[in-house]
Amino acid sequence: MYDNEFNAIFEKAKDKVDDIEILLSSGKSFSVRIHNQNVESFDYADSIGIGIRIIKDGRVGYAYTEELSDEAFSLIIKEAVANSETVENLEPVFFSNFPDLEQKLDIYSEELDKVKVEAKIDIAKKLESLALAADKRIFNVPYAAYSDGYGYAKIANSKGLHKESKTNHCVAFLMVLAQEGEDKKSGSDFIITRDFQKINPEKLVDKAVRQAIDLLNAEKPDTGQFPVVINNETMGALLSTFSGIFSAKNVQEGKSLLKGRIGQTIANSIVTIIDDGLHPDGMSTAPFDSEGYPSQKTLLINKGILTSFLHNNVTATIDKTKSTGNASRSYKSSLTVSPTNFVLQSGDYSKEDLLKSYDRIIELVSLQGLHSGANPISGDFSLAAEGFLYEKGVKKTGLSDFTVSGNFFQILQDIEKVGNDEIFNMQSCSAPSVLIKKISISSKSKQ
């Protein structure tokens, strides 16, 4: 696809640049949200754009266009060359005809693309109707929604590289509000998949409603340090927030405290963290990254020891190592480093086992303010939370109106047990529930 456009750009760039890389991204997205069994919002959008990265006299320049015309192609080449002339810091950039991935990835479903709009709307309507019927204390369903997306990427460069791929996925999301007296609590659940048939509205409703109901009339916990089970979804959110500490770009720019710590123990020996660009269940799985480098599985923490950072070819050249296939950019942006599917490897314990590990344990089921209350460089966080108190493995009461504070690097050290209930979140981060030996809990009224 788009061979004529790519050939036109290569031809126009001839004699104007030393090397050129062309990245095309196109996509389609659909979303629907239901309220009172009516379609509250309905959105269908598509996008396409071409970004080029050129090398001229050892300097790199970028430009992009969303118009696929000869005139636009001439303009972006001129802009990229002009932009390269303003570059002061020379990066060790090179293009190459990187090899293809040997294995075939199952990341596109023809069946998903055939699902009728009516079926998608019906799913969202069913989420709302089932939730409202599940318990009389459910008084509102702010989100009963379905969305899906299709993405196509093509990359080629003047060294002979030429690759393309396509992928798709769908998401069903539910949030409910429960009320008893003056107390109101929310619960939510979601599924992200490439198989429309795997969306089970009853299952999503059961989990969201149960969480909201169980949190009603929640108590405020005592202030102090307590053993805590961070459930799988919450642990995934915490990992996503701090995944940037493994970026070699951040390390080289002094934005990660992991600088100089390769080979050192930074976590409990039961902790293994992987970036897996080939994971069969990951929504960031792809055959190549934004430089056309083949995707791979990279061991970041192996049994507690830091073994690698995430690299593109620029950061890898600086560190005299190889890329890990984590080059990232859109057609509008410049090159950086990003995780693909970020995975905390699961352990042997069920969540029930984790909750029986101490006489009294707090289960954290949600953290709010991860963007404003967490410092991705120092690892410090102070976050509003909700959860449940367990005594000898039995749920006693919901907990709310408290703050959890700590440090992500210390959390990695304090993980005592790792569960086997791993789940991917919508940020392509997979984590199981984990037992932390102690976390600081602060409840204003009980300080």
Side-chain angles (χ1 to χ4, degrees), residues 123-180:
I123 283 287
K125 285 185 173 180
K126 193 169 184 180
L127 285 172
E128 184 189 49
S129 61
L130 287 174
L132 289 170
D135 192 292
K136 63 182 181 182
R137 289 168 289 185
I138 301 298
F139 72 98
N140 194 1
V141 182
Y143 288 93
Y146 169 92
S147 64
D148 56 36
Y150 163 86
Y152 169 81
K154 177 171 181 167
I155 187 168
N157 65 36
S158 49
K159 298 298 185 185
L161 181 137
H162 188 122
K163 298 181 178 182
E164 59 186 340
S165 73
K166 61 181 179 180
T167 185
N168 58 358
H169 70 277
C170 63
V171 180
F173 179 77
L174 173 69
M175 175 181 282
V176 303
L177 290 176
Q179 180 172 16
E180 192 167 76

Side-chain angles (χ1 to χ4, degrees), residues 98-103 105 163 274-280 284-289 292-300 307-313 316 321-327 338-343:
F98 301 112
D100 290 330
L101 194 68
E102 293 184 359
Q103 70 185 90
L105 300 176
K163 298 181 178 182
I274 298 166
D275 182 81
D276 190 353
L278 308 175
H279 198 294
S284 292
T285 300
F288 53 86
D289 69 4
Y293 196 88
S295 299
Q296 65 179 54
K297 186 175 181 179
T298 303
L299 202 53
L300 299 171
T307 56
S308 179
F309 296 126
L310 301 176
H311 284 283
N312 58 30
N313 276 300
T321 185
K322 292 183 178 180
S323 172
T324 55
N326 290 94
S338 298
T340 58
N341 304 301
F342 200 71
V343 178

Side-chain angles (χ1 to χ4, degrees), residues 1-2 25-31 43-48 108 113 120 147-152 167-169:
M1 297 173 67
Y2 301 104
S25 299
S26 67
K28 299 176 183 177
S29 62
F30 169 85
S31 65
D43 185 54
Y44 180 85
D46 54 26
S47 62
I48 187 168
Y108 171 73
D113 273 355
K120 302 174 185 180
S147 64
D148 56 36
Y150 163 86
Y152 169 81
T167 185
N168 58 358
H169 70 277

Side-chain angles (χ1 to χ4, degrees), residues 350-363:
S350 67
K351 193 169 90 172
E352 289 72 25
D353 291 335
L354 301 183
L355 293 166
K356 294 176 183 174
S357 299
Y358 288 89
D359 286 346
R360 287 169 60 89
I361 282 184
I362 291 175
E363 179 193 12

Side-chain angles (χ1 to χ4, degrees), residues 2 7 24 62 65 83 100 106 209 265 344 362 410:
Y2 301 104
N7 290 335
L24 180 146
Y62 293 87
T65 179
N83 290 338
D100 290 330
D106 184 16
V209 169
T265 298
L344 170 61
I362 291 175
Q410 190 61 47

